[in-house]
Amino acid sequence: MLEIFICEDDEEQRKRLTQYVSDYIMIENLDMKVVISTAHSKDIINYLQQNDTTGLYFLDVDLQEEKSGIALGAEIRQYDTQGAIVFITTHPELTYLTFTYKVEAMDYITKDQFTDIQKRVIDCIDTAYHRYMQNKHNHRKLFQTKMGDKVISIEYNDILFFETSSQLHKIILHAHNRQVEFYGKLKALPEMDNRFYRCHNSYVVNKDNIAEIDIAKREIRMVNGQICYASSRFLKGLKDIVPK
């Protein structure tokens, strides 16, 4: 289900926007739901901290609190990198702030265009729902981690293996076309997906991307030719994956 979040401090406008969204979901029988409709940004952040979700967010830019709607959008991105964010405001000149805060917005709706707001909201719902269903049917699963102030997303299918870095508490992720170094614990990776197997004290391999295993040398050749290693202790768990 695609979850919808609305943050608007004007009660009348919030009720109207929530009604637009709820009515359209019901009429079109979409797999969507308004989870939170609130005047307070913390309600949305608290929810995201406790739930793993991909959502559609309608955010008032001019919230009557210290945090603006655009700052809220930037904070949402820390928890939901794939979500669709729509800003609603009476100040279209503030659109430049979405670039300052590095928030990728689906749309920017101006409140004074009263006859157009409902149509623009519906267009955003249609677009977000179409993308959600595409991703759902493609069964895309993303591994996400932070590098500095950036969130890096890599499809699980593209991951070859992980290895411990020479830098303390860091892990190197080897994908088909890139390497990413991040802070983490190697032992936690196999719990994330059953494709990941701890094959060595310093390596976790994606079993789906193994091309061959040399038992004598304890080498695992990946589908792109890269090599990672297995220890005798963990090798038995790989013997039946591919022909030796």
Side-chain angles (χ1 to χ4, degrees):
M1 177 183 292
L2 181 61
E3 299 182 331
I4 298 180
F5 303 83
I6 296 170
C7 191
E8 164 65 67
D9 59 7
D10 184 294
E11 184 176 1
E12 182 179 343
Q13 292 181 9
R14 184 173 66 253
K15 288 181 178 178
R16 185 187 305 123
L17 178 56
T18 304
Q19 196 67 52
Y20 290 160
V21 175
S22 299
D23 287 350
Y24 188 68
I25 290 174
M26 181 181 65
I27 291 169
E28 297 297 323
N29 193 28
L30 302 176
D31 187 20
M32 307 174 80
K33 180 183 179 181
V34 178
V35 176
I36 293 178
S37 180
T38 181
H40 308 291
S41 62
K42 65 180 181 180
D43 294 339
I44 293 177
I45 297 304
N46 288 344
Y47 183 89
L48 295 179
Q49 288 174 337
Q50 299 174 36
N51 298 274
D52 182 16
T53 188
T54 298
L56 169 59
Y57 305 83
F58 291 97
L59 309 178
D60 178 20
V61 170
D62 317 300
L63 296 173
Q64 297 303 307
E65 58 182 45
E66 184 177 347
K67 184 184 301 177
S68 72
I70 294 178
L72 171 59
E75 191 169 358
I76 287 170
R77 279 279 177 253
Q78 296 178 27
Y79 303 97
D80 183 1
T81 60
Q82 303 299 310
I85 296 177
V86 179
F87 293 111
I88 303 177
T89 187
T90 55
H91 301 289
E93 70 275 8
L94 296 179
T95 54
Y96 78 94
L97 288 174
T98 60
F99 299 100
T100 302
Y101 282 89
K102 297 180 174 62
V103 181
E104 296 179 10
M106 172 182 286
D107 203 353
Y108 205 102
I109 301 174
T110 305
K111 289 181 181 179
D112 58 9
Q113 298 173 346
F114 293 106
T115 58
D116 192 43
I117 288 180
Q118 185 172 9
K119 180 182 182 303
R120 294 279 293 279
V121 167
I122 289 173
D123 287 344
C124 290
I125 293 172
D126 283 339
T127 300
Y129 189 70
H130 176 70
R131 292 175 182 173
Y132 167 75
M133 293 304 293
Q134 274 191 323
N135 290 340
K136 183 178 179 180
H137 290 307
N138 289 339
H139 300 288
R140 294 176 65 224
K141 188 173 182 180
L142 297 176
F143 179 88
Q144 297 180 336
T145 188
K146 292 191 71 173
M147 285 183 61
D149 60 350
K150 295 181 179 179
V151 176
I152 306 297
S153 299
I154 300 175
E155 288 192 37
Y156 276 48
N157 291 336
D158 287 336
I159 296 173
L160 301 170
F161 61 91
F162 302 86
E163 67 172 314
T164 53
S165 169
S166 58
Q167 295 191 47
L168 194 63
H169 304 308
K170 278 196 168 185
I171 297 170
I172 302 172
L173 182 159
H174 294 261
H176 279 283
N177 298 308
R178 68 189 302 188
Q179 290 184 16
V180 175
E181 194 167 14
F182 63 96
Y183 285 100
K185 295 182 178 179
L186 203 70
K187 66 180 181 180
L189 297 171
E191 299 175 5
M192 299 177 65
D193 193 275
N194 58 17
R195 285 170 284 191
F196 297 158
Y197 178 74
R198 183 76 175 268
C199 57
H200 189 282
N201 284 338
S202 299
Y203 290 89
V204 168
V205 68
N206 183 348
K207 295 184 291 185
D208 285 355
N209 283 328
I210 294 175
E212 62 181 23
I213 300 172
D214 188 318
I215 299 296
K217 294 182 178 180
R218 297 197 294 273
E219 290 183 349
I220 303 171
R221 184 177 298 277
M222 310 309 295
V223 291
N224 71 339
Q226 280 189 264
I227 299 292
C228 76
Y229 299 92
S231 64
S232 300
R233 175 186 172 190
F234 296 108
L235 194 59
K236 60 182 179 181
L238 294 173
K239 288 183 177 180
D240 297 328
I241 293 178
V242 294
K244 296 178 280 292

